């Protein structure tokens, strides 16, 4: 039984403890206590005579992304929806959305009564395919959203060219890509706006949070209104006890503000990000060498990439392996050997149980609209093939020492050599 797979009753390859996520920094508790006793838990509370953590984070993250402005928000989904509205997208407009992504890529579009047009992805990077984007543009298209997916940076040069030629804003979704770079410049700074999620699994996290970065003052101003019930932060000094948010009446919004607690945690986490990313890259490069020697194909990135950020490490399994056992069984076998979750990609959005607009009455404005937002009308063969052949694991694993990374390679080898045990 020594060589038997753990999923078949054999011994697990390793019993080691893997890194957990999130990992707080040294100043997080002090900062949270400071917020707790400050008398101001959110920017919609009265000013207390000192700069808010929200403003501190906004300045620090704008600088990190080399962008003129950062507008923090409550979630990444809100950041994407607000970015679209701030760029002029509205009811009935079409928005290009990558077909292999978390459901929020589509639900944010639906949330402003626009129409997500699902487009296939590149088979090597799993990011938006520029040729497919070009083919999907119609007279109703009002924006293109691109996700830097998993551990890849999308091919921005042709996407920016398409957006410019058609007069469309390109919005970068960087939820997986904090710290990634293209052409020696941070992602998020190329499009009309860049949006980030700081949800609990993300590389930069505060539990739930988001941000929009942009160099366009008008987009930034509209985003501020949209995330704070039509209010913006005053530029002039305010007195203690006064409201720092000004009611301009210029643009109706809703509440998607980031709390002071979340902003304080983000400042702590931002200081750790580059060091953690460097450790992940070192581990990923080490593992890629080992797996490539076994005939595995690791997710690629675009030629212009100058810095990778590993949110999930993605491995394409050989066809001969998949001919014996389906990808979900292989993922479960790897999980059993290693003791951490090995998973599939997101389900393609044309066949994803989380993306069902017809299940909500709010989208039943008329029959024609429901037809336009029906995800089943899109064909995504590349996304489907990736979902059926790729396994992945989370970035926290890459913070383990290199001898632990070798265990991952050994687990792949063990499953590869004994795959016939799991064909059912």
């Amino acid at each position: 039984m020594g060589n038997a797979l753990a999923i078949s009753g054999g011994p697990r390859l390793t019993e080691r403890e893997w890194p957990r996520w999130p990992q707080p920094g040294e100043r997080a508790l002090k900062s949270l206590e400071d917020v707790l006793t400050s008398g101001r838990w959110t920017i919609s509370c009265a000013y207390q005579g000192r700069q808010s953590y929200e403003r501190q984070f906004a300045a620090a993250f704008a600088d990190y992304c080399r962008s003129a402005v950062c507008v923090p928000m409550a979630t990444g989904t809100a950041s994407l929806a607000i970015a679209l509205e701030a760029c002029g997208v509205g009811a009935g407009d079409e928005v290009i959305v990558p077909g292999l992504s978390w459901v929020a890529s589509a639900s944010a579009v639906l949330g402003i009564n626009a129409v997500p047009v699902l487009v296939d992805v590149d088979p090597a990077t799993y990011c938006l395919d520029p040729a497919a984007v070009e083919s999907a543009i119609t007279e109703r298209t009002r924006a293109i959203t691109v996700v830097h997916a998993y551990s890849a940076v999308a091919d921005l040069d042709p996407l920016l060219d398409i957006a410019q030629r058609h007069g469309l804003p390109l919005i970068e979704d960087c939820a997986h890509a904090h710290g990634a770079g293209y052409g020696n410049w941070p992602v998020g700074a190329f499009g009309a706006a860049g949006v980030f999620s700081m949800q609990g699994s993300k590389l930069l996290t505060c539990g739930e949070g988001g941000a929009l970065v942009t160099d366009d003052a008008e987009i930034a101003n509209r985003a501020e209104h949209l995330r704070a019930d039509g209010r913006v932060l005053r530029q002039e000094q305010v007195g203690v006890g006064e409201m720092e948010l000004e009611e301009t009446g210029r643009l109706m919004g809703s509440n998607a503000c980031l709390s002071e607690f979340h902003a304080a945690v983000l400042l702590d986490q931002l200081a750790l990000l580059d060091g953690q990313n460097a450790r992940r890259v070192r581990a990923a490069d080490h593992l890629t060498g080992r797996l490539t020697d076994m005939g595995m194909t690791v997710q690629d990135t675009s030629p212009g990439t100058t810095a990778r950020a590993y949110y999930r490490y993605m491995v394409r399994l050989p066809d001969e392996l998949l001919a014996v056992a389906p990808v979900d069984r292989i993922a479960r076998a790897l999980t059993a050997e290693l003791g951490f979750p090995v998973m599939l990609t997101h389900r393609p959005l044309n066949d994803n149980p989380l993306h069902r607009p017809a299940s909500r009455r709010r989208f039943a404005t008329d029959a024609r609209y429901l037809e336009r937002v029906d995800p089943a009308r899109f064909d995504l063969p590349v996304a489907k093939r990736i979902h059926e052949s790729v396994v992945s694991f989370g970035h926290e694993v890459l913070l383990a020492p290199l001898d632990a990374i070798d265990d991952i390679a050994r687990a792949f080898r063990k499953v590869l050599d004994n795959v016939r045990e799991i064909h059912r």
Side-chain angles (χ1 to χ4, degrees), residues 100-177:
L100 187 68
S101 183
W102 179 241
V103 65
S105 294
S107 63
V109 178
L110 289 165
I112 61 169
N113 298 112
V115 177
V117 174
L118 306 182
V119 170
D120 219 344
V121 295
D122 180 271
T125 67
Y126 316 163
C127 297
L128 200 58
D129 180 357
V133 170
E134 187 91 60
S135 298
I137 292 174
T138 72
E139 70 280 355
R140 289 181 166 180
T141 308
R142 292 295 178 268
I144 300 168
T145 59
V146 56
V147 177
H148 301 296
Y150 304 116
S151 70
V153 176
D155 199 0
L156 286 172
D157 282 341
L159 290 170
L160 288 164
D161 176 67
I162 292 167
Q164 184 175 23
R165 284 191 286 104
H166 291 274
L168 300 170
L170 179 72
I171 296 170
E172 293 178 75
D173 185 336
C174 310
H176 300 175

Side-chain angles (χ1 to χ4, degrees), residues 55 65 149 168 222 227 264 285 326 337 360 366 420-421:
R55 278 202 169 185
C65 296
L168 300 170
R222 290 175 62 85
R227 66 91 190 237
D285 288 347
E337 297 296 339
R360 295 182 69 179
D366 60 66
R420 295 193 181 280
E421 291 184 24

Side-chain angles (χ1 to χ4, degrees), residues 68-316:
V69 183
C70 167
V71 183
M73 298 188 197
T75 67
T77 305
S79 302
L80 179 54
I82 286 172
L84 289 164
E85 276 204 272
C87 288
V89 179
D93 293 339
E94 292 181 355
V95 178
I96 301 292
V97 171
L100 187 68
S101 183
W102 179 241
V103 65
S105 294
S107 63
V109 178
L110 289 165
I112 61 169
N113 298 112
V115 177
V117 174
L118 306 182
V119 170
D120 219 344
V121 295
D122 180 271
T125 67
Y126 316 163
C127 297
L128 200 58
D129 180 357
V133 170
E134 187 91 60
S135 298
I137 292 174
T138 72
E139 70 280 355
R140 289 181 166 180
T141 308
R142 292 295 178 268
I144 300 168
T145 59
V146 56
V147 177
H148 301 296
Y150 304 116
S151 70
V153 176
D155 199 0
L156 286 172
D157 282 341
L159 290 170
L160 288 164
D161 176 67
I162 292 167
Q164 184 175 23
R165 284 191 286 104
H166 291 274
L168 300 170
L170 179 72
I171 296 170
E172 293 178 75
D173 185 336
C174 310
H176 300 175
H178 309 75
Y182 185 90
N184 293 310
W185 204 261
V187 297
F190 291 86
V195 297
F196 294 80
S197 168
M198 282 73 164
Q199 178 268 343
S201 70
K202 301 303 191 293
L203 300 174
L204 177 66
T205 181
C206 58
E208 293 288 355
L212 176 153
V213 297
T214 184
D215 288 338
D216 189 308
E218 176 62 16
I219 290 174
N221 184 264
R222 290 175 62 85
E224 274 205 63
H225 280 87
L226 289 163
R227 66 91 190 237
D229 290 308
R231 300 168 293 176
V232 295
L233 287 161
R234 298 179 189 272
Q235 296 305 306
E236 70 276 10
Q237 183 63 42
V238 298
V240 174
E242 295 180 347
M243 292 301 296
E244 196 174 6
L245 288 171
E246 177 184 10
E247 299 178 6
T248 70
R250 179 191 172 206
L251 178 64
M252 181 179 174
S254 55
N255 182 20
C257 291
L258 187 73
S259 81
E260 285 290 273
F261 294 100
H262 291 90
V265 172
L266 284 174
L267 276 169
D268 172 70
Q269 292 289 294
L270 185 59
L272 305 175
L273 179 59
D274 284 347
Q276 291 169 336
N277 274 347
R279 290 168 59 193
R280 294 184 187 103
V281 168
R282 183 167 59 249
D285 288 347
H286 182 77
L287 182 58
T288 295
R290 297 285 307 273
L291 295 182
T292 301
D293 289 343
M294 296 181 204
M296 308 286 177
T297 304
V298 176
Q299 181 189 15
D300 203 355
T301 188
S302 62
T305 304
T306 50
R308 289 187 81 164
Y310 283 84
Y311 172 63
R312 295 196 67 82
Y313 187 89
M314 316 293 288
V315 183
R316 167 80 181 273

